[in-house]
Every structure is written in structure tokens, then in C-alpha cells.
Short mmCIF file of all heavy atoms in Angstrom, two decimals:
data_model
loop_
_atom_site.label_atom_id
_atom_site.label_comp_id
_atom_site.label_asym_id
_atom_site.label_seq_id
_atom_site.Cartn_x
_atom_site.Cartn_y
_atom_site.Cartn_z
N PHE A 1 1.05 -6.86 -2.10
CA PHE A 1 0.28 -7.92 -1.65
C PHE A 1 0.34 -9.19 -2.63
O PHE A 1 0.84 -10.27 -2.17
CB PHE A 1 -1.03 -7.57 -1.47
CG PHE A 1 -1.36 -6.93 -0.09
CD1 PHE A 1 -1.31 -5.50 0.03
CD2 PHE A 1 -1.52 -7.58 1.07
CE1 PHE A 1 -1.59 -4.95 1.19
CE2 PHE A 1 -1.70 -7.04 2.25
CZ PHE A 1 -1.69 -5.60 2.42
N PRO A 2 0.12 -9.18 -3.85
CA PRO A 2 0.08 -10.22 -4.86
C PRO A 2 1.39 -10.99 -4.85
O PRO A 2 1.48 -12.15 -4.94
CB PRO A 2 -0.46 -9.70 -6.07
CG PRO A 2 -1.21 -8.53 -5.74
CD PRO A 2 -0.44 -7.92 -4.45
N VAL A 3 2.53 -10.12 -4.94
CA VAL A 3 3.88 -10.76 -5.13
C VAL A 3 4.58 -10.80 -3.72
O VAL A 3 5.30 -11.74 -3.56
CB VAL A 3 4.75 -9.82 -6.08
CG1 VAL A 3 6.06 -10.41 -6.30
CG2 VAL A 3 4.02 -9.90 -7.53
N GLY A 4 4.49 -9.72 -2.95
CA GLY A 4 5.25 -9.75 -1.70
C GLY A 4 4.53 -9.96 -0.44
O GLY A 4 4.98 -9.68 0.71
N GLY A 5 3.35 -10.51 -0.54
CA GLY A 5 2.41 -10.70 0.63
C GLY A 5 2.84 -11.61 1.74
O GLY A 5 2.14 -11.76 2.73
N ASP A 6 3.86 -12.41 1.41
CA ASP A 6 4.39 -13.39 2.38
C ASP A 6 5.25 -12.74 3.39
O ASP A 6 5.72 -13.46 4.45
CB ASP A 6 5.06 -14.55 1.70
CG ASP A 6 6.29 -14.19 0.82
OD1 ASP A 6 6.38 -12.93 0.52
OD2 ASP A 6 7.10 -14.91 0.47
N ARG A 7 5.61 -11.52 3.22
CA ARG A 7 6.44 -10.73 4.19
C ARG A 7 5.52 -10.34 5.45
O ARG A 7 4.34 -10.47 5.30
CB ARG A 7 7.08 -9.46 3.63
CG ARG A 7 7.92 -9.84 2.30
CD ARG A 7 8.33 -8.59 1.57
NE ARG A 7 7.10 -7.89 0.97
CZ ARG A 7 7.15 -6.86 0.37
NH1 ARG A 7 8.27 -6.05 0.21
NH2 ARG A 7 6.04 -6.24 -0.24
N ASP A 8 6.30 -9.79 6.47
CA ASP A 8 5.49 -9.28 7.65
C ASP A 8 4.57 -8.31 7.10
O ASP A 8 4.86 -7.47 6.26
CB ASP A 8 6.51 -8.64 8.53
CG ASP A 8 5.86 -8.22 9.74
OD1 ASP A 8 5.53 -8.95 10.77
OD2 ASP A 8 5.52 -6.94 9.72
N ARG A 9 3.34 -8.22 7.66
CA ARG A 9 2.29 -7.45 7.25
C ARG A 9 2.65 -5.93 7.35
O ARG A 9 2.39 -5.10 6.48
CB ARG A 9 1.04 -7.55 8.23
CG ARG A 9 -0.26 -6.96 7.76
CD ARG A 9 -0.80 -7.60 6.67
NE ARG A 9 -2.25 -7.09 6.37
CZ ARG A 9 -3.09 -7.61 5.57
NH1 ARG A 9 -2.81 -9.00 5.08
NH2 ARG A 9 -4.20 -7.18 5.19
N ASP A 10 3.33 -5.46 8.29
CA ASP A 10 3.76 -4.03 8.46
C ASP A 10 4.74 -3.71 7.19
O ASP A 10 4.76 -2.70 6.70
CB ASP A 10 4.48 -3.86 9.74
CG ASP A 10 3.51 -3.82 10.81
OD1 ASP A 10 2.25 -3.67 10.55
OD2 ASP A 10 3.95 -3.96 12.09
N VAL A 11 5.46 -4.62 6.92
CA VAL A 11 6.52 -4.42 5.80
C VAL A 11 5.82 -4.31 4.48
O VAL A 11 6.01 -3.46 3.56
CB VAL A 11 7.53 -5.64 5.66
CG1 VAL A 11 8.43 -5.54 4.48
CG2 VAL A 11 8.47 -5.57 6.92
N VAL A 12 4.72 -5.13 4.26
CA VAL A 12 3.99 -5.05 3.05
C VAL A 12 3.29 -3.71 2.96
O VAL A 12 3.30 -3.03 1.93
CB VAL A 12 2.92 -6.21 3.01
CG1 VAL A 12 2.10 -6.06 1.76
CG2 VAL A 12 3.54 -7.49 3.02
N ILE A 13 2.70 -3.21 4.04
CA ILE A 13 2.03 -1.94 3.84
C ILE A 13 2.96 -0.84 3.79
O ILE A 13 2.81 0.15 2.99
CB ILE A 13 1.19 -1.69 5.33
CG1 ILE A 13 -0.07 -2.59 5.32
CG2 ILE A 13 0.65 -0.34 5.37
CD1 ILE A 13 -1.02 -2.49 4.23
N ALA A 14 4.06 -0.87 4.41
CA ALA A 14 5.13 0.18 4.24
C ALA A 14 5.74 0.26 2.80
O ALA A 14 5.82 1.34 2.29
CB ALA A 14 6.26 -0.09 5.11
N ASP A 15 5.81 -0.99 2.20
CA ASP A 15 6.12 -1.04 0.74
C ASP A 15 5.09 -0.53 -0.17
O ASP A 15 5.37 0.37 -1.01
CB ASP A 15 6.44 -2.53 0.38
CG ASP A 15 7.17 -2.68 -0.96
OD1 ASP A 15 7.75 -1.67 -1.43
OD2 ASP A 15 7.27 -3.79 -1.44
N ALA A 16 3.86 -0.84 0.13
CA ALA A 16 2.75 -0.17 -0.60
C ALA A 16 2.67 1.40 -0.55
O ALA A 16 2.40 2.01 -1.48
CB ALA A 16 1.42 -0.74 -0.23
N LEU A 17 2.95 1.77 0.67
CA LEU A 17 2.89 3.24 0.90
C LEU A 17 3.89 3.92 0.20
O LEU A 17 3.78 4.93 -0.61
CB LEU A 17 3.05 3.63 2.36
CG LEU A 17 1.81 3.37 3.32
CD1 LEU A 17 2.34 3.30 4.76
CD2 LEU A 17 0.77 4.23 3.00
N GLU A 18 5.26 3.43 0.22
CA GLU A 18 6.35 4.07 -0.40
C GLU A 18 6.19 4.07 -1.99
O GLU A 18 6.38 5.05 -2.74
CB GLU A 18 7.73 3.24 -0.05
CG GLU A 18 8.78 3.85 -0.75
CD GLU A 18 10.13 3.21 -0.36
OE1 GLU A 18 10.09 1.94 -0.08
OE2 GLU A 18 11.28 3.78 -0.43
N ARG A 19 5.73 2.87 -2.53
CA ARG A 19 5.51 2.77 -3.91
C ARG A 19 4.36 3.75 -4.44
O ARG A 19 4.57 4.35 -5.40
CB ARG A 19 5.28 1.31 -4.24
CG ARG A 19 6.56 0.45 -4.19
CD ARG A 19 6.28 -0.98 -4.42
NE ARG A 19 7.65 -1.82 -4.41
CZ ARG A 19 8.35 -1.85 -5.56
NH1 ARG A 19 7.82 -1.37 -6.71
NH2 ARG A 19 9.43 -2.42 -5.48
N GLY A 20 3.26 3.72 -3.61
CA GLY A 20 2.08 4.41 -4.05
C GLY A 20 2.50 5.89 -4.19
O GLY A 20 2.11 6.63 -5.13
N ARG A 21 3.23 6.49 -3.13
CA ARG A 21 3.66 7.82 -3.06
C ARG A 21 4.55 8.12 -4.32
O ARG A 21 4.32 9.25 -4.88
CB ARG A 21 4.39 8.14 -1.80
CG ARG A 21 3.55 8.19 -0.48
CD ARG A 21 4.37 8.79 0.58
NE ARG A 21 3.68 8.77 1.92
CZ ARG A 21 4.10 7.82 2.81
NH1 ARG A 21 5.02 7.00 2.46
NH2 ARG A 21 3.48 7.68 3.93
N ALA A 22 5.30 7.18 -4.54
CA ALA A 22 6.25 7.43 -5.71
C ALA A 22 5.53 7.45 -7.13
O ALA A 22 5.83 8.36 -7.94
CB ALA A 22 7.40 6.37 -5.77
N TYR A 23 4.49 6.67 -7.22
CA TYR A 23 3.84 6.64 -8.50
C TYR A 23 2.84 7.93 -8.57
O TYR A 23 2.72 8.36 -9.67
CB TYR A 23 3.01 5.35 -8.53
CG TYR A 23 3.67 4.10 -8.48
CD1 TYR A 23 3.03 2.82 -7.98
CD2 TYR A 23 5.07 4.04 -8.76
CE1 TYR A 23 3.84 1.72 -7.88
CE2 TYR A 23 5.91 2.87 -8.56
CZ TYR A 23 5.19 1.77 -8.17
OH TYR A 23 5.92 0.59 -7.96
N LEU A 24 2.38 8.37 -7.54
CA LEU A 24 1.66 9.65 -7.54
C LEU A 24 2.59 10.73 -7.90
O LEU A 24 2.28 11.61 -8.76
CB LEU A 24 0.88 9.94 -6.22
CG LEU A 24 -0.19 8.77 -5.89
CD1 LEU A 24 -0.62 9.11 -4.40
CD2 LEU A 24 -1.32 9.07 -6.89
N ASP A 25 3.79 10.72 -7.26
CA ASP A 25 4.79 11.80 -7.69
C ASP A 25 5.10 11.75 -9.11
O ASP A 25 5.45 12.72 -9.77
CB ASP A 25 5.92 11.76 -6.72
CG ASP A 25 5.63 12.07 -5.33
OD1 ASP A 25 4.63 12.75 -4.96
OD2 ASP A 25 6.47 11.74 -4.43
N ALA A 26 5.03 10.46 -9.67
CA ALA A 26 5.46 10.38 -11.12
C ALA A 26 4.41 10.73 -12.09
O ALA A 26 4.65 10.63 -13.28
CB ALA A 26 5.99 9.00 -11.33
N GLY A 27 3.21 11.05 -11.58
CA GLY A 27 2.18 11.51 -12.44
C GLY A 27 0.86 10.62 -12.53
O GLY A 27 -0.05 11.08 -13.11
N ALA A 28 0.92 9.45 -11.84
CA ALA A 28 -0.22 8.55 -11.92
C ALA A 28 -1.35 9.26 -11.04
O ALA A 28 -1.11 9.75 -9.91
CB ALA A 28 0.05 7.18 -11.23
N PRO A 29 -2.61 9.29 -11.57
CA PRO A 29 -3.75 9.89 -10.84
C PRO A 29 -4.21 9.13 -9.63
O PRO A 29 -4.78 9.52 -8.79
CB PRO A 29 -4.80 10.19 -11.90
CG PRO A 29 -4.41 9.03 -13.03
CD PRO A 29 -3.03 8.84 -12.91
N VAL A 30 -4.11 7.63 -9.83
CA VAL A 30 -4.54 6.96 -8.81
C VAL A 30 -3.52 5.62 -8.60
O VAL A 30 -2.88 5.28 -9.49
CB VAL A 30 -5.97 6.27 -8.98
CG1 VAL A 30 -7.00 7.49 -8.70
CG2 VAL A 30 -6.20 5.77 -10.33
N VAL A 31 -3.60 5.08 -7.43
CA VAL A 31 -2.78 3.88 -7.11
C VAL A 31 -3.75 2.68 -6.73
O VAL A 31 -4.55 2.91 -5.90
CB VAL A 31 -1.81 4.19 -6.07
CG1 VAL A 31 -0.99 3.00 -5.53
CG2 VAL A 31 -0.74 5.24 -6.50
N PHE A 32 -3.39 1.57 -7.20
CA PHE A 32 -4.14 0.36 -7.00
C PHE A 32 -3.36 -0.47 -6.10
O PHE A 32 -2.30 -0.90 -6.47
CB PHE A 32 -4.41 -0.36 -8.34
CG PHE A 32 -5.29 -1.57 -8.29
CD1 PHE A 32 -6.24 -1.85 -7.31
CD2 PHE A 32 -5.08 -2.57 -9.30
CE1 PHE A 32 -6.98 -2.90 -7.30
CE2 PHE A 32 -5.87 -3.80 -9.29
CZ PHE A 32 -6.94 -3.89 -8.24
N VAL A 33 -3.97 -0.76 -4.88
CA VAL A 33 -3.45 -1.79 -3.97
C VAL A 33 -4.23 -2.87 -3.75
O VAL A 33 -5.23 -2.93 -2.78
CB VAL A 33 -3.10 -1.04 -2.56
CG1 VAL A 33 -2.43 -1.92 -1.60
CG2 VAL A 33 -2.33 0.24 -2.76
N PRO A 34 -4.20 -3.96 -4.55
CA PRO A 34 -4.96 -5.12 -4.53
C PRO A 34 -4.56 -5.99 -3.48
O PRO A 34 -3.44 -6.36 -3.21
CB PRO A 34 -4.84 -5.87 -5.88
CG PRO A 34 -3.55 -5.46 -6.31
CD PRO A 34 -3.25 -4.07 -5.80
N GLY A 35 -5.53 -6.26 -2.52
CA GLY A 35 -5.10 -7.20 -1.40
C GLY A 35 -6.28 -7.33 -0.39
O GLY A 35 -7.16 -6.42 -0.48
N PRO A 36 -6.08 -8.09 0.62
CA PRO A 36 -7.09 -8.28 1.68
C PRO A 36 -7.05 -7.19 2.70
O PRO A 36 -6.54 -7.52 3.97
CB PRO A 36 -6.92 -9.65 2.15
CG PRO A 36 -5.38 -9.80 2.03
CD PRO A 36 -5.05 -9.09 0.73
N LEU A 37 -7.23 -5.85 2.32
CA LEU A 37 -6.97 -4.82 3.22
C LEU A 37 -7.97 -4.70 4.32
O LEU A 37 -9.23 -4.96 4.11
CB LEU A 37 -7.01 -3.48 2.49
CG LEU A 37 -5.97 -3.39 1.37
CD1 LEU A 37 -6.23 -2.02 0.48
CD2 LEU A 37 -4.55 -3.32 1.87
N THR A 38 -7.64 -4.32 5.51
CA THR A 38 -8.45 -4.02 6.69
C THR A 38 -8.78 -2.53 6.53
O THR A 38 -8.23 -1.67 5.77
CB THR A 38 -7.74 -4.22 8.13
OG1 THR A 38 -6.73 -3.31 8.15
CG2 THR A 38 -7.27 -5.70 8.05
N SER A 39 -9.84 -2.11 7.33
CA SER A 39 -10.25 -0.82 7.40
C SER A 39 -9.19 0.15 7.87
O SER A 39 -8.98 1.26 7.23
CB SER A 39 -11.46 -0.63 8.43
OG SER A 39 -12.67 -1.45 7.96
N ASP A 40 -8.44 -0.26 8.96
CA ASP A 40 -7.26 0.60 9.30
C ASP A 40 -6.22 0.74 8.29
O ASP A 40 -5.67 1.84 8.11
CB ASP A 40 -6.65 -0.03 10.57
CG ASP A 40 -7.50 0.15 11.79
OD1 ASP A 40 -8.41 0.93 11.78
OD2 ASP A 40 -7.26 -0.51 12.84
N GLU A 41 -6.04 -0.32 7.47
CA GLU A 41 -5.00 -0.30 6.31
C GLU A 41 -5.45 0.71 5.31
O GLU A 41 -4.69 1.47 4.75
CB GLU A 41 -4.54 -1.67 5.90
CG GLU A 41 -3.81 -2.50 6.87
CD GLU A 41 -3.71 -4.09 6.53
OE1 GLU A 41 -4.64 -4.34 5.74
OE2 GLU A 41 -2.91 -4.66 7.13
N VAL A 42 -6.78 0.56 4.93
CA VAL A 42 -7.20 1.44 3.91
C VAL A 42 -7.16 2.91 4.40
O VAL A 42 -6.71 3.88 3.67
CB VAL A 42 -8.74 1.14 3.62
CG1 VAL A 42 -9.31 2.23 2.79
CG2 VAL A 42 -8.86 -0.20 2.99
N ARG A 43 -7.46 3.22 5.72
CA ARG A 43 -7.23 4.50 6.30
C ARG A 43 -5.94 4.91 6.16
O ARG A 43 -5.74 6.07 5.78
CB ARG A 43 -7.82 4.45 7.70
CG ARG A 43 -7.80 5.93 8.32
CD ARG A 43 -8.34 5.89 9.81
NE ARG A 43 -9.80 5.36 9.81
CZ ARG A 43 -10.29 4.30 10.11
NH1 ARG A 43 -9.40 3.41 10.48
NH2 ARG A 43 -11.61 4.11 10.10
N THR A 44 -4.96 4.19 6.52
CA THR A 44 -3.53 4.46 6.41
C THR A 44 -3.11 4.94 5.04
O THR A 44 -2.43 5.93 4.84
CB THR A 44 -2.62 3.22 7.01
OG1 THR A 44 -2.97 3.19 8.36
CG2 THR A 44 -1.12 3.71 6.81
N LEU A 45 -3.53 4.14 3.99
CA LEU A 45 -3.16 4.36 2.69
C LEU A 45 -3.83 5.65 2.17
O LEU A 45 -3.25 6.48 1.52
CB LEU A 45 -3.68 3.21 1.74
CG LEU A 45 -2.83 1.93 2.00
CD1 LEU A 45 -3.64 0.68 1.37
CD2 LEU A 45 -1.55 1.96 1.32
N VAL A 46 -5.04 5.85 2.45
CA VAL A 46 -5.81 7.12 2.13
C VAL A 46 -5.16 8.36 2.70
O VAL A 46 -4.89 9.34 2.00
CB VAL A 46 -7.27 7.05 2.49
CG1 VAL A 46 -7.97 8.41 2.25
CG2 VAL A 46 -7.95 6.03 1.53
N ASP A 47 -4.83 8.20 3.97
CA ASP A 47 -4.11 9.24 4.61
C ASP A 47 -2.75 9.64 3.91
O ASP A 47 -2.39 10.88 3.85
CB ASP A 47 -3.82 9.09 6.11
CG ASP A 47 -5.03 9.05 7.04
OD1 ASP A 47 -6.08 9.49 6.51
OD2 ASP A 47 -4.96 8.53 8.17
N ALA A 48 -2.06 8.65 3.40
CA ALA A 48 -0.74 8.92 2.85
C ALA A 48 -0.92 9.43 1.34
O ALA A 48 -0.09 10.32 0.90
CB ALA A 48 -0.03 7.60 2.78
#
């Protein structure tokens, strides 16, 4: 969001999902997604 938030919203969320999964797989205990998230987007990220 902070750097790539000018892209289509679906692209931004898909990027956050892919990156977050990769960081968790790399050993990070939590992933920070700063941005103006909606409830549905938060739910999507938590599900992933």
C-alpha cells in the first residue's frame, strides 16, 4: 500500500498476500500490512 498503492486495488491485495505468505514461510512471526484496509480485505489477509 505505501509504495504500490496506486495500482488496481485487487493487484495491491494480491501482492500483499503473496509477500506476506513468503515472509511467514521465511520465519517472520507476523506480517504488517499498513494501509486503509476494509473489513473484507482484513478477512482475506487473515484467511491467508
Side-chain angles (χ1 to χ4, degrees):
F1 278 95
V3 176
D6 57 346
R7 301 170 293 174
D8 182 83
R9 188 80 174 194
D10 290 341
V11 173
V12 175
I13 290 297
D15 194 11
L17 288 168
E18 182 181 22
R19 288 174 174 274
R21 289 193 193 100
Y23 303 158
L24 293 171
D25 289 344
V30 285
V31 172
F32 183 28
V33 183
L37 299 172
T38 67
S39 297
D40 286 344
E41 289 166 345
V42 170
R43 184 177 294 105
T44 296
L45 290 164
V46 171
D47 287 346

